[in-house]
Amino acid sequence: MAQDTWRNWAGTHSSTPHRFDTPRTVAELSALVARATELGLHVKAVGAGHSFTGAAVTDGVLVSLDNIAGIESVRTTPEGPVATVLAGTRLRSLNEQLWSRGLAMINLGDIDVQSIAGALSTGTHGTGARFGGLATLIRGLQIVLADGSVVDCSETENPDLYQAARIGLGALGIISKLDLAVQPAYAMRAVEGPARLDETLDGLEHDLANVDHFEFYWFPHTNRVLTKRNTRLPGDTPLRPLGRARGFVDDELMSNTLFEGINRLTTTFPGAIPQINQLSARALSAREFTDRSYRVFASPRRVRFREMEYAVPQAAVKDVLRDIGSWLDRSGCRIAFPVEVRFAPADDVWLSTANGRDSAYVAVHQYHRRDHREYFAAVEAIARAVDGRPHWGKMHGRAAADLRPTYARFDDFCAVRDKYDPARTFDNDYLRTVLA
Ligand SMILES: Cc1cc2nc3c(=O)[nH]c(=O)nc-3n(C[C@H](O)[C@H](O)[C@H](O)COP(=O)(O)OP(=O)(O)OC[C@H]3O[C@@H](n4cnc5c(N)ncnc54)[C@H](O)[C@@H]3O)c2cc1C
Protein backbone atom coordinates (compact mmCIF):
# COMPACT_ATOMS: atom_id res chain seq x y z
CA MET A 1 0.00 0.00 0.00
CA ALA A 2 1.22 3.52 -0.68
CA GLN A 3 2.04 5.78 2.24
CA ASP A 4 -1.06 7.67 3.22
CA THR A 5 -2.76 9.25 6.20
CA TRP A 6 -4.91 6.99 8.33
CA ARG A 7 -7.78 8.43 10.36
CA ASN A 8 -10.17 6.77 12.78
CA TRP A 9 -13.97 6.87 12.30
CA ALA A 10 -14.53 9.57 14.93
CA GLY A 11 -11.78 11.80 13.51
CA THR A 12 -10.09 11.97 16.92
CA HIS A 13 -6.81 10.39 15.77
CA SER A 14 -4.78 10.25 12.60
CA SER A 15 -1.30 9.10 11.67
CA THR A 16 1.00 8.70 8.71
CA PRO A 17 2.46 5.24 9.17
CA HIS A 18 5.82 4.28 7.71
CA ARG A 19 3.85 1.82 5.56
CA PHE A 20 0.48 0.04 5.25
CA ASP A 21 0.29 -3.67 4.67
CA THR A 22 -2.58 -6.02 3.83
CA PRO A 23 -1.19 -9.56 4.06
CA ARG A 24 -3.24 -12.31 2.39
CA THR A 25 -2.03 -15.19 4.54
CA VAL A 26 -0.85 -15.80 8.09
CA ALA A 27 2.57 -16.69 6.62
CA GLU A 28 2.77 -13.24 4.99
CA LEU A 29 1.64 -11.62 8.22
CA SER A 30 4.27 -13.50 10.21
CA ALA A 31 7.04 -12.53 7.75
CA LEU A 32 6.12 -8.84 7.81
CA VAL A 33 6.01 -8.73 11.62
CA ALA A 34 9.39 -10.48 11.91
CA ARG A 35 10.91 -8.10 9.37
CA ALA A 36 9.50 -5.00 11.10
CA THR A 37 10.89 -6.17 14.45
CA GLU A 38 14.32 -6.73 12.85
CA LEU A 39 14.21 -3.20 11.46
CA GLY A 40 13.09 -1.76 14.80
CA LEU A 41 9.72 -0.62 13.41
CA HIS A 42 6.51 -0.64 15.39
CA VAL A 43 3.58 -2.73 14.11
CA LYS A 44 -0.15 -2.19 14.68
CA ALA A 45 -3.12 -4.09 13.39
CA VAL A 46 -6.14 -2.02 12.48
CA GLY A 47 -9.70 -3.25 12.10
CA ALA A 48 -12.42 -0.78 11.15
CA GLY A 49 -10.78 2.15 12.97
CA HIS A 50 -13.85 2.47 15.17
CA SER A 51 -11.96 3.07 18.39
CA PHE A 52 -12.22 6.62 19.66
CA THR A 53 -8.84 6.26 21.40
CA GLY A 54 -5.50 6.12 19.62
CA ALA A 55 -5.43 2.33 20.12
CA ALA A 56 -4.67 1.62 16.46
CA VAL A 57 -2.31 4.54 15.80
CA THR A 58 1.26 3.78 14.72
CA ASP A 59 4.30 5.47 13.26
CA GLY A 60 5.46 2.07 11.98
CA VAL A 61 3.69 -0.59 9.94
CA LEU A 62 -0.10 -0.46 9.98
CA VAL A 63 -1.53 -3.86 9.12
CA SER A 64 -5.05 -4.49 7.90
CA LEU A 65 -6.30 -8.07 8.12
CA ASP A 66 -9.15 -7.42 5.68
CA ASN A 67 -7.74 -10.19 3.44
CA ILE A 68 -7.49 -12.65 6.31
CA ALA A 69 -11.20 -13.02 6.84
CA GLY A 70 -13.97 -15.59 6.89
CA ILE A 71 -15.07 -18.61 8.92
CA GLU A 72 -12.48 -21.35 8.68
CA SER A 73 -14.50 -24.13 10.32
CA VAL A 74 -17.10 -24.97 12.94
CA ARG A 75 -16.76 -27.84 15.40
CA THR A 76 -19.14 -29.32 17.91
CA THR A 77 -18.07 -29.42 21.54
CA PRO A 78 -19.93 -30.62 24.65
CA GLU A 79 -20.37 -26.93 25.50
CA GLY A 80 -21.89 -26.08 22.11
CA PRO A 81 -20.63 -25.09 18.65
CA VAL A 82 -17.28 -23.31 18.34
CA ALA A 83 -16.39 -21.38 15.17
CA THR A 84 -12.82 -20.77 14.06
CA VAL A 85 -12.87 -17.27 12.60
CA LEU A 86 -10.10 -15.41 10.77
CA ALA A 87 -9.22 -12.22 12.63
CA GLY A 88 -10.02 -9.65 9.93
CA THR A 89 -13.64 -10.80 9.55
CA ARG A 90 -16.06 -7.89 9.91
CA LEU A 91 -18.91 -8.53 12.31
CA ARG A 92 -21.58 -7.98 9.65
CA SER A 93 -20.03 -10.59 7.42
CA LEU A 94 -19.46 -12.92 10.39
CA ASN A 95 -23.12 -12.65 11.37
CA GLU A 96 -24.29 -13.46 7.84
CA GLN A 97 -21.85 -16.34 7.42
CA LEU A 98 -22.87 -17.81 10.78
CA TRP A 99 -26.57 -17.47 9.94
CA SER A 100 -26.10 -19.31 6.63
CA ARG A 101 -24.71 -22.19 8.74
CA GLY A 102 -27.65 -22.08 11.15
CA LEU A 103 -25.58 -20.29 13.82
CA ALA A 104 -25.33 -16.89 15.51
CA MET A 105 -23.18 -14.84 17.87
CA ILE A 106 -24.31 -15.24 21.49
CA ASN A 107 -24.04 -11.50 22.15
CA LEU A 108 -23.19 -8.37 20.16
CA GLY A 109 -22.79 -4.61 20.56
CA ASP A 110 -24.88 -2.00 18.79
CA ILE A 111 -22.97 -1.75 15.49
CA ASP A 112 -21.59 -4.46 13.22
CA VAL A 113 -18.84 -2.80 11.21
CA GLN A 114 -15.89 -3.69 13.46
CA SER A 115 -13.44 -6.50 12.73
CA ILE A 116 -13.82 -9.37 15.17
CA ALA A 117 -10.22 -9.05 16.44
CA GLY A 118 -10.49 -5.26 16.75
CA ALA A 119 -13.76 -5.53 18.65
CA LEU A 120 -12.33 -8.16 21.02
CA SER A 121 -9.07 -6.30 21.62
CA THR A 122 -10.71 -3.29 23.31
CA GLY A 123 -13.38 -5.22 25.24
CA THR A 124 -16.44 -4.57 23.09
CA HIS A 125 -19.65 -5.51 24.88
CA GLY A 126 -23.40 -5.49 24.40
CA THR A 127 -26.04 -5.46 27.10
CA GLY A 128 -27.75 -8.06 29.28
CA ALA A 129 -27.33 -9.06 32.91
CA ARG A 130 -26.55 -12.63 31.81
CA PHE A 131 -24.56 -11.94 28.64
CA GLY A 132 -20.89 -11.01 28.97
CA GLY A 133 -18.80 -8.99 26.55
CA LEU A 134 -17.47 -10.54 23.34
CA ALA A 135 -14.19 -11.59 25.00
CA THR A 136 -16.09 -14.04 27.22
CA LEU A 137 -16.96 -15.98 24.05
CA ILE A 138 -13.32 -16.67 23.10
CA ARG A 139 -12.18 -20.27 23.46
CA GLY A 140 -8.78 -20.04 21.76
CA LEU A 141 -6.54 -17.63 19.88
CA GLN A 142 -3.79 -17.79 17.28
CA ILE A 143 -1.34 -14.90 17.63
CA VAL A 144 1.60 -13.71 15.58
CA LEU A 145 4.28 -12.61 18.06
CA ALA A 146 6.95 -9.95 17.55
CA ASP A 147 9.53 -12.44 16.25
CA GLY A 148 7.03 -13.69 13.65
CA SER A 149 6.27 -16.96 15.44
CA VAL A 150 2.66 -18.11 15.17
CA VAL A 151 1.42 -19.31 18.55
CA ASP A 152 -1.82 -21.00 19.58
CA CYS A 153 -3.18 -20.35 23.03
CA SER A 154 -6.15 -21.46 25.10
CA GLU A 155 -6.98 -22.26 28.70
CA THR A 156 -4.62 -25.22 28.51
CA GLU A 157 -2.02 -24.14 25.92
CA ASN A 158 0.12 -21.06 26.71
CA PRO A 159 -2.54 -20.10 29.28
CA ASP A 160 -0.78 -16.88 30.39
CA LEU A 161 -0.83 -15.53 26.84
CA TYR A 162 -4.45 -16.64 26.41
CA GLN A 163 -5.67 -14.97 29.60
CA ALA A 164 -3.98 -11.70 28.72
CA ALA A 165 -4.85 -11.70 25.01
CA ARG A 166 -8.61 -12.18 25.45
CA ILE A 167 -8.62 -8.38 25.82
CA GLY A 168 -5.09 -7.63 24.69
CA LEU A 169 -5.32 -3.98 23.52
CA GLY A 170 -3.17 -5.01 20.54
CA ALA A 171 -0.21 -5.05 22.95
CA LEU A 172 0.87 -8.69 22.75
CA GLY A 173 0.86 -9.56 19.06
CA ILE A 174 -1.44 -9.72 16.07
CA ILE A 175 -4.35 -12.11 16.42
CA SER A 176 -4.67 -14.09 13.20
CA LYS A 177 -7.61 -16.31 14.11
CA LEU A 178 -9.79 -17.20 17.02
CA ASP A 179 -12.16 -19.82 18.32
CA LEU A 180 -15.50 -18.37 19.34
CA ALA A 181 -18.35 -20.01 21.20
CA VAL A 182 -21.46 -19.54 19.07
CA GLN A 183 -24.97 -20.94 19.27
CA PRO A 184 -27.81 -22.14 17.03
CA ALA A 185 -29.39 -19.24 15.13
CA TYR A 186 -32.08 -17.43 17.15
CA ALA A 187 -34.60 -14.70 16.55
CA MET A 188 -35.09 -11.68 18.76
CA ARG A 189 -38.11 -9.60 19.67
CA ALA A 190 -37.42 -5.91 20.22
CA VAL A 191 -39.80 -3.82 22.30
CA GLU A 192 -38.84 -0.15 22.37
CA GLY A 193 -40.63 2.83 23.78
CA PRO A 194 -40.48 6.10 25.67
CA ALA A 195 -40.62 6.07 29.46
CA ARG A 196 -39.73 8.14 32.52
CA LEU A 197 -36.21 7.92 33.93
CA ASP A 198 -37.33 7.65 37.56
CA GLU A 199 -39.77 4.83 36.77
CA THR A 200 -37.16 3.05 34.66
CA LEU A 201 -34.64 3.19 37.51
CA ASP A 202 -37.27 1.99 39.98
CA GLY A 203 -37.94 -1.02 37.75
CA LEU A 204 -34.30 -1.67 36.90
CA GLU A 205 -33.77 -4.80 39.02
CA HIS A 206 -36.95 -6.30 37.56
CA ASP A 207 -35.89 -5.58 33.98
CA LEU A 208 -32.38 -6.93 34.54
CA ALA A 209 -33.79 -10.13 35.99
CA ASN A 210 -36.47 -10.62 33.35
CA VAL A 211 -35.26 -9.14 30.06
CA ASP A 212 -32.45 -10.84 28.12
CA HIS A 213 -30.98 -7.61 26.75
CA PHE A 214 -32.13 -4.45 28.50
CA GLU A 215 -30.82 -0.94 27.86
CA PHE A 216 -32.05 2.61 27.89
CA TYR A 217 -31.14 6.00 26.53
CA TRP A 218 -31.61 8.96 28.87
CA PHE A 219 -32.26 12.36 27.33
CA PRO A 220 -30.18 14.83 29.42
CA HIS A 221 -32.05 17.79 30.96
CA THR A 222 -35.25 15.69 31.02
CA ASN A 223 -36.82 12.85 32.98
CA ARG A 224 -37.35 10.96 29.71
CA VAL A 225 -35.74 7.78 28.38
CA LEU A 226 -36.10 5.41 25.47
CA THR A 227 -36.06 1.81 26.71
CA LYS A 228 -35.06 -1.21 24.62
CA ARG A 229 -36.04 -4.70 25.71
CA ASN A 230 -34.78 -7.52 23.49
CA THR A 231 -35.98 -11.07 24.07
CA ARG A 232 -34.29 -14.13 22.58
CA LEU A 233 -36.63 -16.49 20.70
CA PRO A 234 -36.15 -19.84 18.93
CA GLY A 235 -34.65 -19.67 15.44
CA ASP A 236 -37.86 -20.86 13.77
CA THR A 237 -39.98 -18.05 15.27
CA PRO A 238 -41.89 -16.30 12.44
CA LEU A 239 -40.11 -12.98 11.80
CA ARG A 240 -41.94 -9.66 11.84
CA PRO A 241 -39.16 -7.23 10.91
CA LEU A 242 -39.70 -3.49 10.77
CA GLY A 243 -41.36 -2.56 7.52
CA ARG A 244 -39.07 -0.85 5.05
CA ALA A 245 -40.83 2.48 5.52
CA ARG A 246 -40.83 2.31 9.34
CA GLY A 247 -37.20 1.19 9.39
CA PHE A 248 -36.29 4.08 7.13
CA VAL A 249 -38.22 6.65 9.16
CA ASP A 250 -36.92 5.43 12.55
CA ASP A 251 -33.34 4.40 11.82
CA GLU A 252 -32.40 6.65 8.94
CA LEU A 253 -34.61 9.71 9.26
CA MET A 254 -35.08 10.06 13.04
CA SER A 255 -31.86 8.47 14.30
CA ASN A 256 -29.53 9.74 11.60
CA THR A 257 -30.81 12.46 9.24
CA LEU A 258 -33.06 14.35 11.64
CA PHE A 259 -30.65 13.80 14.51
CA GLU A 260 -27.79 15.25 12.43
CA GLY A 261 -30.00 18.31 11.77
CA ILE A 262 -30.80 18.66 15.47
CA ASN A 263 -27.12 18.50 16.33
CA ARG A 264 -26.21 21.13 13.74
CA LEU A 265 -28.97 23.39 15.02
CA THR A 266 -28.04 22.96 18.68
CA THR A 267 -24.37 23.55 17.92
CA THR A 268 -25.45 27.08 17.02
CA PHE A 269 -28.21 27.35 19.65
CA PRO A 270 -27.18 25.15 22.61
CA GLY A 271 -29.64 26.99 24.88
CA ALA A 272 -32.48 25.23 23.02
CA ILE A 273 -31.24 21.74 23.92
CA PRO A 274 -33.43 21.06 27.00
CA GLN A 275 -36.65 21.83 25.05
CA ILE A 276 -35.43 19.92 21.98
CA ASN A 277 -34.52 16.89 24.13
CA GLN A 278 -38.05 16.98 25.64
CA LEU A 279 -39.53 17.04 22.15
CA SER A 280 -37.19 14.35 20.80
CA ALA A 281 -37.95 12.02 23.70
CA ARG A 282 -41.69 12.41 23.18
CA ALA A 283 -41.46 12.11 19.39
CA LEU A 284 -40.12 8.58 19.70
CA SER A 285 -43.11 6.30 19.44
CA ALA A 286 -43.17 2.76 20.73
CA ARG A 287 -42.32 -0.02 18.30
CA GLU A 288 -42.07 -3.78 18.36
CA PHE A 289 -40.51 -6.11 15.85
CA THR A 290 -38.98 -9.57 15.57
CA ASP A 291 -36.01 -10.27 13.36
CA ARG A 292 -32.85 -12.32 13.07
CA SER A 293 -30.91 -11.71 16.30
CA TYR A 294 -27.95 -9.96 14.68
CA ARG A 295 -30.23 -7.54 12.85
CA VAL A 296 -31.85 -6.50 16.12
CA PHE A 297 -28.54 -5.99 17.93
CA ALA A 298 -27.02 -3.60 15.39
CA SER A 299 -28.23 -0.36 13.86
CA PRO A 300 -26.61 2.22 11.53
CA ARG A 301 -24.74 5.15 13.09
CA ARG A 302 -24.16 7.94 10.61
CA VAL A 303 -24.09 10.98 12.91
CA ARG A 304 -20.43 11.49 13.78
CA PHE A 305 -19.73 11.82 17.51
CA ARG A 306 -17.19 11.50 20.30
CA GLU A 307 -17.86 8.98 23.04
CA MET A 308 -16.64 8.09 26.50
CA GLU A 309 -18.03 5.04 28.27
CA TYR A 310 -17.51 3.98 31.88
CA ALA A 311 -18.21 0.61 33.45
CA VAL A 312 -19.40 1.21 36.99
CA PRO A 313 -20.52 -1.29 39.64
CA GLN A 314 -24.14 -2.08 38.79
CA ALA A 315 -25.31 -0.99 42.23
CA ALA A 316 -23.86 2.51 41.63
CA VAL A 317 -25.57 3.31 38.34
CA LYS A 318 -28.54 5.20 39.77
CA ASP A 319 -26.24 7.50 41.78
CA VAL A 320 -24.01 8.03 38.78
CA LEU A 321 -26.94 9.11 36.59
CA ARG A 322 -28.28 11.35 39.34
CA ASP A 323 -24.84 12.96 39.74
CA ILE A 324 -24.52 13.53 35.99
CA GLY A 325 -27.95 15.18 36.01
CA SER A 326 -27.01 17.43 38.95
CA TRP A 327 -23.75 18.41 37.27
CA LEU A 328 -25.56 19.30 34.04
CA ASP A 329 -28.00 21.47 36.03
CA ARG A 330 -25.18 23.24 37.88
CA SER A 331 -22.73 23.68 35.03
CA GLY A 332 -25.00 25.08 32.35
CA CYS A 333 -23.44 22.57 29.92
CA ARG A 334 -26.10 21.52 27.37
CA ILE A 335 -26.03 18.03 25.86
CA ALA A 336 -28.25 16.89 23.00
CA PHE A 337 -26.98 13.31 22.76
CA PRO A 338 -28.80 10.71 24.89
CA VAL A 339 -26.76 8.89 27.55
CA GLU A 340 -26.70 5.16 26.78
CA VAL A 341 -26.96 2.76 29.73
CA ARG A 342 -26.20 -0.95 29.35
CA PHE A 343 -25.36 -3.91 31.58
CA ALA A 344 -23.08 -6.95 31.81
CA PRO A 345 -22.38 -9.69 34.34
CA ALA A 346 -19.05 -10.06 36.14
CA ASP A 347 -16.42 -11.95 34.14
CA ASP A 348 -12.87 -13.21 34.63
CA VAL A 349 -11.11 -11.60 31.66
CA TRP A 350 -8.05 -9.81 33.04
CA LEU A 351 -8.56 -6.41 31.42
CA SER A 352 -12.33 -6.63 31.06
CA THR A 353 -14.15 -3.57 32.34
CA ALA A 354 -16.57 -6.06 33.94
CA ASN A 355 -13.79 -8.09 35.61
CA GLY A 356 -15.00 -9.38 38.96
CA ARG A 357 -18.18 -7.33 39.25
CA ASP A 358 -21.63 -6.99 37.74
CA SER A 359 -21.40 -3.80 35.74
CA ALA A 360 -23.46 -1.02 34.25
CA TYR A 361 -22.07 0.88 31.27
CA VAL A 362 -22.76 4.61 31.12
CA ALA A 363 -21.84 6.06 27.72
CA VAL A 364 -21.78 9.78 27.06
CA HIS A 365 -21.56 11.27 23.61
CA GLN A 366 -20.95 14.65 22.08
CA TYR A 367 -21.54 15.73 18.49
CA HIS A 368 -18.21 15.95 16.68
CA ARG A 369 -18.54 19.69 15.97
CA ARG A 370 -19.03 20.52 19.67
CA ASP A 371 -16.48 20.54 22.48
CA HIS A 372 -16.76 17.40 24.58
CA ARG A 373 -14.02 18.12 27.13
CA GLU A 374 -15.85 19.75 30.03
CA TYR A 375 -18.71 17.21 29.87
CA PHE A 376 -16.49 14.15 29.58
CA ALA A 377 -14.17 15.34 32.35
CA ALA A 378 -17.11 15.86 34.71
CA VAL A 379 -18.60 12.44 33.94
CA GLU A 380 -15.18 10.84 34.28
CA ALA A 381 -14.80 12.35 37.77
CA ILE A 382 -18.24 11.03 38.75
CA ALA A 383 -17.44 7.54 37.42
CA ARG A 384 -14.01 7.48 39.05
CA ALA A 385 -15.57 8.24 42.42
CA VAL A 386 -17.30 4.82 42.23
CA ASP A 387 -14.21 3.03 40.85
CA GLY A 388 -15.42 3.23 37.24
CA ARG A 389 -13.35 1.69 34.47
CA PRO A 390 -13.15 3.34 31.04
CA HIS A 391 -13.86 1.40 27.84
CA TRP A 392 -10.45 0.79 26.24
CA GLY A 393 -11.72 1.85 22.82
CA LYS A 394 -13.50 5.03 23.89
CA MET A 395 -12.17 8.40 24.98
CA HIS A 396 -10.92 8.79 28.54
CA GLY A 397 -8.27 10.59 30.51
CA ARG A 398 -6.87 7.70 32.54
CA ALA A 399 -3.30 6.40 32.70
CA ALA A 400 -1.52 3.28 33.97
CA ALA A 401 -0.91 4.58 37.49
CA ASP A 402 -4.61 5.06 38.19
CA LEU A 403 -5.85 2.10 36.12
CA ARG A 404 -3.64 -0.45 37.91
CA PRO A 405 -5.52 -0.33 41.25
CA THR A 406 -8.87 -1.13 39.61
CA TYR A 407 -7.66 -4.26 37.77
CA ALA A 408 -6.55 -7.13 40.03
CA ARG A 409 -4.62 -8.72 37.15
CA PHE A 410 -3.07 -5.53 35.73
CA ASP A 411 0.47 -6.50 36.75
CA ASP A 412 -0.04 -10.03 35.41
CA PHE A 413 -1.03 -8.53 32.07
CA CYS A 414 2.10 -6.34 32.04
CA ALA A 415 4.29 -9.36 32.92
CA VAL A 416 2.84 -11.29 29.95
CA ARG A 417 3.54 -8.28 27.74
CA ASP A 418 7.15 -8.14 28.97
CA LYS A 419 7.53 -11.85 28.21
CA TYR A 420 6.01 -11.84 24.71
CA ASP A 421 6.89 -8.35 23.44
CA PRO A 422 10.06 -7.36 25.30
CA ALA A 423 11.23 -5.05 22.49
CA ARG A 424 7.79 -3.34 22.34
CA THR A 425 7.17 -3.97 18.64
CA PHE A 426 3.44 -3.44 19.29
CA ASP A 427 3.83 -0.26 21.34
CA ASN A 428 2.23 3.09 20.60
CA ASP A 429 1.38 6.28 22.50
CA TYR A 430 -1.92 4.88 23.73
CA LEU A 431 -0.27 1.81 25.26
CA ARG A 432 2.52 3.93 26.74
CA THR A 433 -0.23 5.88 28.51
CA VAL A 434 -2.50 3.10 29.73
CA LEU A 435 0.10 0.39 30.40
CA ALA A 436 3.21 2.56 30.96
C1 LIG B 1 -20.40 4.09 16.22
C2 LIG B 1 -19.71 3.19 17.21
C3 LIG B 1 -20.45 2.28 17.94
C4 LIG B 1 -19.82 1.44 18.88
N1 LIG B 1 -20.57 0.56 19.60
C5 LIG B 1 -19.98 -0.19 20.57
C6 LIG B 1 -20.74 -1.09 21.37
O1 LIG B 1 -21.95 -1.27 21.18
N2 LIG B 1 -20.11 -1.73 22.38
C7 LIG B 1 -18.78 -1.55 22.64
O2 LIG B 1 -18.26 -2.12 23.60
N3 LIG B 1 -18.01 -0.77 21.86
C8 LIG B 1 -18.59 -0.10 20.83
N4 LIG B 1 -17.82 0.71 20.03
C9 LIG B 1 -16.34 0.66 20.20
C10 LIG B 1 -15.73 -0.39 19.25
O3 LIG B 1 -16.42 -1.61 19.29
C11 LIG B 1 -14.28 -0.67 19.65
O4 LIG B 1 -13.54 0.50 19.72
C12 LIG B 1 -13.61 -1.68 18.71
O5 LIG B 1 -12.30 -1.92 19.18
C13 LIG B 1 -13.54 -1.20 17.27
O6 LIG B 1 -13.21 -2.28 16.43
P1 LIG B 1 -12.31 -2.02 15.13
O7 LIG B 1 -12.35 -3.25 14.29
O8 LIG B 1 -12.69 -0.75 14.51
O9 LIG B 1 -10.86 -1.93 15.80
P2 LIG B 1 -9.80 -0.73 15.69
O10 LIG B 1 -10.36 0.47 16.33
O11 LIG B 1 -9.30 -0.64 14.31
O12 LIG B 1 -8.66 -1.33 16.64
C14 LIG B 1 -8.88 -1.46 18.01
C15 LIG B 1 -7.67 -2.11 18.69
O13 LIG B 1 -7.61 -3.47 18.30
C16 LIG B 1 -6.31 -3.76 17.80
N5 LIG B 1 -6.46 -4.79 16.79
C17 LIG B 1 -7.18 -4.76 15.65
N6 LIG B 1 -7.03 -5.92 14.99
C18 LIG B 1 -6.20 -6.69 15.74
C19 LIG B 1 -5.64 -7.98 15.58
N7 LIG B 1 -5.91 -8.73 14.52
N8 LIG B 1 -4.82 -8.44 16.56
C20 LIG B 1 -4.52 -7.68 17.64
N9 LIG B 1 -5.01 -6.45 17.83
C21 LIG B 1 -5.83 -5.97 16.89
C22 LIG B 1 -5.83 -2.43 17.23
O14 LIG B 1 -4.41 -2.40 17.11
C23 LIG B 1 -6.33 -1.49 18.29
O15 LIG B 1 -5.47 -1.52 19.40
C24 LIG B 1 -18.41 1.53 19.08
C25 LIG B 1 -17.65 2.44 18.31
C26 LIG B 1 -18.30 3.26 17.39
C27 LIG B 1 -17.47 4.22 16.58
Side-chain angles (χ1 to χ4, degrees), residues 6 8-10 44-57 63 65 87-88 90 108-111 113-126 168-171 173-176 301 303 305 307 309 340 342 391-394 428 430-431:
W6 172 87
N8 66 343
W9 176 86
K44 268 289 134 195
V46 65
H50 268 55
S51 293
F52 296 83
T53 57
V57 168
V63 184
L65 271 65
R90 299 297 173 110
L108 284 165
D110 61 16
I111 57 164
V113 302
Q114 307 98 313
S115 67
I116 183 68
L120 289 165
S121 295
T122 64
T124 296
H125 63 88
L169 312 182
I174 299 193
I175 300 167
S176 41
R301 297 294 176 93
V303 178
F305 56 84
E307 180 174 350
E309 182 172 48
E340 186 176 13
R342 294 184 279 184
H391 189 303
W392 298 104
K394 301 186 183 180
N428 65 4
Y430 183 65
L431 293 182

